[in-house]
Amino acid sequence: MQYRQIFPAIQKTLQELLHKYPTIGSIVADIVKDGGSALLVGGAVRDLLLAKPVKDSDIEVHGVPLERLDVIMQKYGSVSLVGKSFGVLRLHGLDVDWALPRVDAAGRKPTVVLDPYMSIAVACKRRDLTINAMAIDLTTFVLYDPYNGQRDLHDGILRPTDMQLFLEDPLRFFRVMQFIGRFAMVPSAELNQLCRTMDISGVSVERIEQEFSKMLLKSVYPAAGIRWIEHIGRLNDVLPELAATRAIPQNPAWHPEGDVFEHTMQAVDAAAIIAQSYESEYNKLLLLYAALCHDLGKVTTTHVIDGTIKSELHPQAGAVIARQMLKRITHTHDLIHTVYLLVQYHMEPGQFVRGGAKVPAYKLLARKLAPYTTLSMLADLALADVRGRNPKGSEPLMLESEDVRAFRTCAQRARVLECVEQSVLQGRDLLDLVPPGPRLGQLVRRAYEIQIEEGITNVDELKRRVLAE
Ligand code: CTP
């Protein structure tokens, strides 16, 4: 087996980690006293070797039975068992999983066999990819690398640790997708072969969402993961609405980059770059999902009219398709509805500027997006759309857009770039004259239109006007 002392820099990081969480060091020392050993395993080892921050640690304890590990850990606080069959223990207040080596067997009744005396190589074999199948002994700082994960990490290759065992968990298909984006790595030929045919029908929406979120939030070029699914011929199984964009041509005068799929992928990567300045992860996801969905409507609306490729009303059609597609990835209603709105109005920034829209139009558009999103995010989506048009490569263009800039300036002047103008006349102002019900709602909406279009902000005047109509 490949094992060697780890680099001094990594050793230092690990020592700092143990220093920061002295309880970990104490438990490890007790395990060693009992004749066992404690190994850092999985993604934490990968992230350490990549010099990335380690967020959650998995420690595998060898040579000590579960009951004994439980006794050792109880010296330091209250211990909970995270699923007895999985043999994972947690100490209250410490974000570390302490697990025993195990062998998983999939099937109709999945079984887990714990064996504290299993060899490290056998214990690592159940892990999905070689880059995730390494271990570092927390006492000796020796790196165990039975499947050459370090070499694959260096070469940027995702390789299954074991072809047969890889197939036992279909979530791994989506993990590969996110690792491709996140680490800009390339799957090996045998991994592609496995993923071309593996059954992924049983993966829940919640777990798919987790992997999509990681891919979208942590990648420089997140579209790489989706391009891979398309490349191995599985996009129709995962996102059929997006797969349908592959064959849809675009007018080369506007879109020299190629078909709608290529444009979408470039727009997603452009959105990721734009969203780097966002503080909120949720807003990042909104922009990225909106970029992913923005042109889905071209599938049903693209026609050649008088020799020209046109996709009239594709934003409206696309909003409905986006809603349908996003349900395959998330159950979050607000996210789906926000993307629906962004897709529906994604052409407005350009049209507003070219058509010379006035202040009321900006205010009304901001109102249509509120409270879910803002004109600012719509402008960012329009920018991603403009940047996703590189005919010479697959990375997005890094240009600015005069139209988008002008749209932002006008929205800012109208004071609705990041917010919405509040209604002056509220329902309660009319309650003495109109009972609660649909008519009250209509009157309030009409008062808002008058407020915006004519700039009237006096409650009594608005009241008079709507009641007189
Ligand atoms: N693992 C696996 N198959 C899975 C999930 C996890 O083999 N379907 C193994 C891998 O060795 C992985 C480890 O369990 O590294 C920990 O899993 P998890 O914390 O879910 O993922 P990470 O690899 O740490 O990745 P991330 O940084 O995305 O959390």
Side-chain angles (χ1 to χ4, degrees), residues 287 290-291 294 342-343 346 376-386:
L287 186 68
H294 80 284
L342 287 165
V343 171
H346 79 269
S376 181
M377 191 176 283
L378 192 67
D380 282 345
L381 177 59
L383 183 60
D385 188 359
V386 172

Side-chain angles (χ1 to χ4, degrees), residues 35-80:
S37 59
L39 305 169
L40 188 70
V41 289
V45 177
R46 176 200 68 218
D47 292 345
L48 268 177
L49 294 175
L50 286 172
K52 293 193 183 283
V54 175
K55 33 146 221 30
D56 45 28
S57 312
D58 292 323
I59 295 178
E60 200 168 80
V61 177
H62 287 243
V64 173
L66 190 63
E67 302 69 34
R68 181 66 199 142
L69 178 61
D70 194 7
V71 171
I72 291 175
M73 288 176 62
Q74 290 203 23
K75 273 169 64 184
Y76 300 93
S78 86
V79 177
S80 49

